[in-house]
């Protein structure tokens, strides 16, 4: 149910049928709560067939927890205490306070649902003032449904001889293209006292004074600053300028200019939306997973306005990495049905995939919720390693291969016959 692809294992005994390696014990731990266990704790192996990156592997270890009769706040307090104790006892680090930020604020200020608070740069929202400027890149995005225009002020980015060079701006322009941005507009703030003449940029002539003043005022720009802009669909802007924020913050320039604070920066991100709209499949998908409970009073919006629905989901974030995530679960069959309706999962499909959970909910379930930590991620953070691969004994490559054992590899015809499998593209395995 976690949104990634399953690793499928063919059954030798049941012709044409498959097992799926567990992406998470989510449904089973919920069943234990229904059965009357009030606490569950397990260190478990999970498998997800998804694109790999620094904080992901196809096989990973999860610390999985579920509780009955605890509120979202109770669960967060319990496991914040646990993580603080683990860090203190293991590496002598006091993580201190965990600020709580809503998903909406995190996306608004940092373009990410797992912001790295060590980087002292924030977005400035300027969508509203760009709707009628002559610069089409900005006005187009400002008037587009779901469009966004943001500014990212880099203090001292234009200081003569010590700021960000033209070559570095070109490199950053190529960098944001990875995230779907078409380019990277910027303004150098040379002298505020000269008005628009004190601003250096090819785009200034196409932006009226009201918009320019709003950018400078809202961002708190000073002489010698550099302001980057993102203008496109909100997702592209958030991804591209969010990544740029991290890159500049962690750069030599960022560290020299006090844009990066070398500390432990834990936080909670809460109030995730229940659903996000997938343009490709033209339907809503679950942001966490389809068993996450909505906030009290939001149940009816699942039918009338799914986009307004806020969930009781929460993520623990440390230094820009999601360390653990969880939610209060749905414990009523009628609410669970509304979620499936919003996700366009038919009753037949729901029964086929999750029938054992839905049947259990019919008998009455206690309010319950939980959390899962990525053990490998915790160790990666503690050791300050570059990647999760550095703390796993036999990690897979970015292409999900094990170079040591040459897995995955072809198998012989006899094994395939035992599993009732015939390859459609045998040449590829030769």
């Amino acid at each position: 149910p976690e949104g990634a692809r399953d690793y499928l294992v063919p059954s030798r005994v049941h012709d044409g049928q498959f097992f799926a390696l567990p992406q998470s014990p989510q449904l089973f731990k919920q069943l234990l709560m229904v059965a009357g266990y009030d606490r569950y704790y397990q260190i478990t192996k999970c498998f997800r067939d998804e694109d790999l990156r620094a904080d992901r592997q196809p096989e990973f270890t999860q610390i999985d927890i579920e509780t009955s009769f605890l509120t979202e706040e109770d669960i967060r307090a319990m496991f914040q205490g646990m993580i603080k104790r683990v860090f203190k006892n293991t590496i002598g680090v006091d993580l201190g306070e965990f600020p709580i930020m809503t998903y909406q604020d995190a996306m608004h200020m940092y373009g990410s649902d797992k912001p790295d608070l060590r980087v002292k740069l924030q977005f400035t929202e300027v969508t509203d003032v760009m709707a009628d400027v002559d610069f089409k890149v900005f006005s187009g995005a400002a008037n587009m449904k779901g469009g966004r225009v943001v500014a990212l002020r880099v203090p001292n980015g234009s200081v003569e001889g010590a700021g960000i060079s033209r070559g570095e701006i070109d490199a950053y322009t190529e960098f944001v293209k990875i995230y779907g941005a078409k380019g990277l507009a910027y303004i150098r703030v040379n002298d505020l006292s000269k008005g628009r003449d004190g601003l250096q940029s090819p785009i200034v002539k196409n932006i009226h004074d009201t918009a320019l003043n709003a950018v400078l005022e809202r961002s708190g720009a000073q002489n010698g600053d550099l302001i980057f802009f993102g203008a496109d669909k909100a997702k592209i802007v958030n991804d591209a300028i969010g990544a740029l924020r991290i890159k500049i913050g962690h750069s030599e320039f960022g560290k020299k200019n006090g844009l990066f604070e070398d500390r432990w920066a834990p936080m909670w991100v809460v109030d995730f939306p229940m659903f996000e709209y997938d343009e490709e499949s033209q339907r809503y998908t679950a942001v966490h997973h389809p068993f996450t409970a909505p906030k009290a009073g939001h149940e009816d919006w699942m039918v009338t306005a799914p986009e307004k629905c806020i969930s009781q989901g929460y993520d623990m974030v440390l230094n820009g990495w999601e360390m653990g995530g969880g939610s209060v679960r749905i414990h009523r069959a009628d609410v669970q049905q509304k979620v499936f309706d919003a996700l366009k999962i038919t009753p037949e499909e729901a029964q086929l995939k999750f029938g054992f959970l839905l049947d259990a909910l019919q008998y009455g379930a206690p309010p319950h919720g939980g959390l899962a930590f990525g053990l490998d991620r915790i160790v990666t953070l503690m050791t300050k390693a570059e990647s999760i691969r550095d703390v796993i004994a036999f990690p897979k490559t970015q292409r999900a291969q094990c170079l040591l054992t040459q897995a995955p590899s072809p198998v012989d015809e006899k094994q395939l016959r035992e599993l009732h499998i015939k390859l459609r593209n045998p040449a590829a395995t030769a």
Side-chain angles (χ1 to χ4, degrees), residues 422-426:
K422 189 170 186 181
L423 298 178
R424 294 178 67 176
N425 189 8

Side-chain angles (χ1 to χ4, degrees), residues 52 57-59 389 392 394-402 407:
L52 306 186
Q57 278 281 293
E59 176 185 354
R389 287 197 294 276
I392 292 177
F394 301 103
K396 307 294 182 285
T397 66
Q398 289 249 291
R399 298 185 63 199
Q401 292 171 303
C402 176

Side-chain angles (χ1 to χ4, degrees), residues 256-268:
K256 271 187 198 157
N257 285 272
L259 304 181
F260 179 82
E261 201 178 342
D262 191 6
R263 65 182 178 99
W264 294 94
M267 66 182 300
W268 286 102

Side-chain angles (χ1 to χ4, degrees), residues 44-61:
T44 179
K45 282 283 182 195
C46 298
F47 306 85
R48 293 183 191 172
D49 185 3
E50 58 190 350
D51 298 330
L52 306 186
R53 49 182 199 224
D55 60 349
R56 280 184 183 167
Q57 278 281 293
E59 176 185 354
F60 57 95
T61 307

Side-chain angles (χ1 to χ4, degrees), residues 128-415:
D128 56 320
V129 294
M130 294 298 177
D132 58 349
V133 298
D134 292 337
F135 188 45
K136 292 286 179 273
V137 174
F138 287 2
S139 57
N143 291 302
M144 179 197 303
K145 187 179 180 236
R148 187 176 192 198
V149 187
V150 301
L152 182 74
R153 176 175 79 94
V154 182
N156 302 322
S158 286
V159 172
E160 194 71 40
I164 294 174
S165 69
R166 183 59 213 254
E168 286 169 312
I169 291 177
D170 291 343
Y172 287 142
T173 305
E174 290 308 306
F175 173 72
V176 295
K177 286 179 183 175
I178 298 168
Y179 299 89
K182 297 177 187 73
L184 185 62
Y186 67 91
I187 293 176
R188 289 190 183 277
V189 183
N190 294 333
D191 188 348
L192 285 170
S193 65
K194 292 182 178 171
R196 65 167 51 239
D197 293 336
L199 306 176
Q200 180 190 339
S201 165
I203 68 169
V204 168
K205 62 180 182 294
N206 293 317
I207 299 177
H208 53 64
D209 287 350
T210 311
L212 281 177
N213 291 337
V215 169
L216 298 173
E217 216 168 280
R218 291 179 193 180
S219 65
Q222 305 290 320
N223 292 343
D225 289 354
L226 175 60
I227 303 173
F228 287 113
F229 293 89
D232 209 310
K233 285 185 176 156
K235 183 177 181 350
I236 291 173
V237 171
N238 291 340
D239 290 352
I241 306 302
L244 179 66
R245 172 185 170 268
I246 298 295
K247 196 163 179 70
I248 293 171
H250 284 260
S251 69
E252 277 306 306
F253 167 84
K255 287 174 181 170
K256 271 187 198 157
N257 285 272
L259 304 181
F260 179 82
E261 201 178 342
D262 191 6
R263 65 182 178 99
W264 294 94
M267 66 182 300
W268 286 102
V269 179
V270 301
D271 291 359
F272 280 79
M274 281 283 285
F275 310 105
E276 60 190 354
Y277 193 72
D278 183 356
E279 295 287 349
E280 214 172 287
S281 59
Q282 297 283 296
R283 66 185 186 93
Y284 285 99
T285 57
V287 169
H288 259 127
H289 54 60
F291 311 102
T292 299
K295 288 269 185 215
H298 286 216
E299 295 89 349
D300 290 337
W301 279 348
M302 288 193 282
V303 182
T304 57
E307 70 284 353
K308 284 187 185 172
C309 219
I310 302 294
S311 76
Q312 294 186 59
Y314 37 84
D315 282 356
M316 184 188 283
V317 175
L318 179 62
N319 295 357
W321 281 39
E322 180 200 327
M323 203 161 46
S327 64
V328 171
R329 323 298 184 193
I330 294 167
H331 65 280
R332 283 171 33 203
D334 61 324
V335 176
Q336 187 64 71
Q337 189 53 56
K338 283 180 179 173
V339 172
F340 288 150
D341 290 345
L343 295 172
K344 300 238 183 330
I345 296 174
T346 64
E348 296 74 34
E349 191 185 349
Q351 194 60 36
L352 186 67
K353 286 184 176 174
F354 315 116
F356 54 93
L357 175 71
L358 300 178
D359 293 347
L361 290 179
Q362 302 284 355
Y363 294 100
H368 58 283
L371 193 72
F373 289 108
L375 181 60
D376 313 291
R377 286 188 189 176
I378 292 173
V379 177
T380 306
L381 285 159
M382 281 182 165
T383 56
K384 299 198 172 177
E386 289 290 309
S387 161
I388 192 173
R389 287 197 294 276
D390 299 337
V391 301
I392 292 177
F394 301 103
K396 307 294 182 285
T397 66
Q398 289 249 291
R399 298 185 63 199
Q401 292 171 303
C402 176
L403 298 180
L404 181 73
T405 61
Q406 300 297 306
S409 58
V411 297
D412 61 37
E413 186 60 35
K414 180 172 177 286
Q415 279 180 296

